[in-house]
């Protein structure tokens, strides 16, 4: 949803809705994207551990794969829990226009 919003775009066919705002993705879409990132990062850890086990005879290579696989769960949790920042909403409020006091004299009628 990279559109800036504001402009009305014509739908492809009559059943498609017209985009008139730049609304943020729904909570469910955000959650699905974060869950997908978490699964991908945790799936990258498994090959690192297997490669560390297969390359044990070359200690520095096995240690490198192990060093990569150790912080991956922590990084995956941080990325999965990260939500996009909330938009700052500028609320439209009434601004009273200050008027200058008139300097001319007015006729006062006493009753």
């Amino acid at each position: 949803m990279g559109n800036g919003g504001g402009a009305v775009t014509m739908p492809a066919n009559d059943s498609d809705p017209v985009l008139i705002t730049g609304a943020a993705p729904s909570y469910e879409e955000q959650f699905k994207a974060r869950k997908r990132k978490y699964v991908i990062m945790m799936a990258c850890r498994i090959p690192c551990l297997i490669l560390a086990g297969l390359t044990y005879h070359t200690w520095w290579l096995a240690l490198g794969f192990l060093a990569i696989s150790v912080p991956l769960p922590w990084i995956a949790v941080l990325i999965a829990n990260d939500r996009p920042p909330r938009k700052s909403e500028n609320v439209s409020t009434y601004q009273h226009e200050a008027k200058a006091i008139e300097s001319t004299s007015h006729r006062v009628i006493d009753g």
Side-chain angles (χ1 to χ4, degrees):
M1 307 270 167
N3 293 347
V8 176
T9 58
M10 295 306 294
N13 41 8
D14 293 336
S15 64
D16 291 340
V18 177
L19 177 66
I20 59 171
T21 64
S26 69
Y27 176 76
E28 289 80 18
E29 290 175 356
Q30 291 176 10
F31 181 70
K32 213 168 21 174
R34 292 193 327 253
K35 192 164 49 169
R36 187 176 338 116
K37 289 177 189 177
Y38 177 81
V39 168
I40 289 170
M41 290 194 71
M42 291 307 289
C44 289
R45 185 175 189 218
I46 296 168
C48 284
L49 290 173
I50 292 171
L51 288 172
L54 293 175
T55 59
Y56 70 93
H57 53 277
T58 310
W59 67 270
W60 57 270
L61 190 58
L63 190 63
F65 285 125
L66 196 60
I68 291 171
S69 69
V70 167
L72 274 180
W74 176 70
I75 295 169
V77 167
L78 285 180
I79 290 174
N81 288 334
D82 187 30
R83 292 185 66 187
R86 291 184 180 196
K87 289 183 181 178
S88 64
E89 295 181 15
N90 295 330
V91 179
S92 178
T93 58
Y94 174 73
Q95 299 293 327
H96 178 68
E97 186 176 317
K99 296 181 181 177
I101 299 175
E102 296 179 13
S103 62
T104 60
S105 62
H106 293 282
R107 191 172 134 206
V108 178
I109 302 173
D110 287 329

